[in-house]
Amino acid sequence: MSRPKSETRLRVVADPIEIRSGDLADAQLLMGLFDEAVEWLVARGQPGQWGVEPFSRRPDAIARVQDLAGGGGLRVAELEGKPIGAVVVGSAPAYASPIDRPELYILLLLTSRRHAGRELGSRLVQVAIDEARAAGREIVRVDCWADAPGLTGWYQRQGFTPTHPFEIKGWRGQIFELPLR
């Protein structure tokens, strides 16, 4: 007697992460993500990226977060209505060497470590890439702390190529680019 074939059932689960545009009203949630990141970096022995003091206690950082939130390029990733990551896109900062092609610059990429493993950073980078393409930009650039091999390697795994290193007041950074054409 033959056995009946077992059915293979695929269960498709809708992705619960939503990405929305943000604005100045989101400065506090962005501040919370920064404070969480600083705490995580310090616990890992990597205070060189953003220091040891929470952003919410530093006037210069508070002003920076407000500028990022209110600049028009904030995209917020949410899970069940709670922020778990953000990307901010816009024009290249003054310290980035000018290029001769239209670009979109990732000014900030920040994700909650409590939600690691969801490829949230990759998804937010893709949001930036999609926006760049829709706007007719030819390249996406980003920078990060150069003294974090895991971080610089992560950007390379996303398809970015390191281009120009830079230094600001002893803080070493690395610019990466991703051509779109």
Side-chain angles (χ1 to χ4, degrees), residues 41 46-50 95 105 142-156 162-168 170-176:
L41 287 164
Q46 294 180 308
Q49 182 165 346
W50 287 329
Y95 58 80
Y105 206 97
V142 65
D143 64 72
C144 71
W145 183 36
D147 292 330
L151 182 57
T152 58
W154 183 86
Y155 278 110
Q156 290 178 52
T163 57
H164 302 94
F166 65 96
E167 188 171 316
I168 299 173
W171 188 90
R172 295 175 356 103
Q174 175 65 57
I175 296 175
F176 293 85

Side-chain angles (χ1 to χ4, degrees), residues 18-32:
E18 294 185 16
I19 299 174
R20 65 169 175 82
S21 292
D23 59 28
L24 189 55
D26 294 307
Q28 274 309 115
L29 73 85
L30 196 54
M31 187 69 70

Side-chain angles (χ1 to χ4, degrees), residues 3-159:
R3 298 177 104 186
K5 281 188 175 180
S6 62
E7 273 186 46
T8 303
R9 292 187 180 165
L10 296 176
R11 184 175 158 212
V12 178
V13 178
D15 186 353
I17 296 173
E18 294 185 16
I19 299 174
R20 65 169 175 82
S21 292
D23 59 28
L24 189 55
D26 294 307
Q28 274 309 115
L29 73 85
L30 196 54
M31 187 69 70
L33 289 170
F34 267 113
D35 283 353
E36 178 188 337
V38 168
E39 181 181 348
W40 181 78
L41 287 164
V42 169
R44 290 176 48 98
Q46 294 180 308
Q49 182 165 346
W50 287 329
V52 297
E53 190 174 0
F55 268 45
S56 59
R57 293 189 197 150
R58 296 174 26 205
D60 64 321
I62 292 168
R64 178 174 178 224
V65 169
Q66 289 175 338
D67 287 345
L68 288 167
L74 174 61
R75 308 299 176 253
V76 178
E78 294 181 332
L79 178 63
E80 299 174 355
K82 295 184 178 142
I84 62 171
V87 63
V88 178
V89 296
S91 300
Y95 58 80
S97 306
I99 60 173
D100 61 355
R101 294 182 280 173
E103 72 174 313
L104 187 67
Y105 206 97
I106 297 174
L107 299 165
L108 174 69
L109 179 64
L110 187 57
T111 61
S112 170
R113 298 313 307 161
R114 290 183 211 128
H115 297 278
R118 291 181 176 267
E119 297 187 18
L120 185 55
S122 298
R123 292 172 68 174
L124 290 168
V125 165
Q126 189 60 53
V127 166
I129 291 169
D130 293 345
E131 287 192 29
R133 283 191 171 121
R137 308 293 172 85
E138 295 179 16
I139 193 166
V140 174
R141 291 199 303 164
V142 65
D143 64 72
C144 71
W145 183 36
D147 292 330
L151 182 57
T152 58
W154 183 86
Y155 278 110
Q156 290 178 52
R157 289 189 301 279
Q158 302 309 302

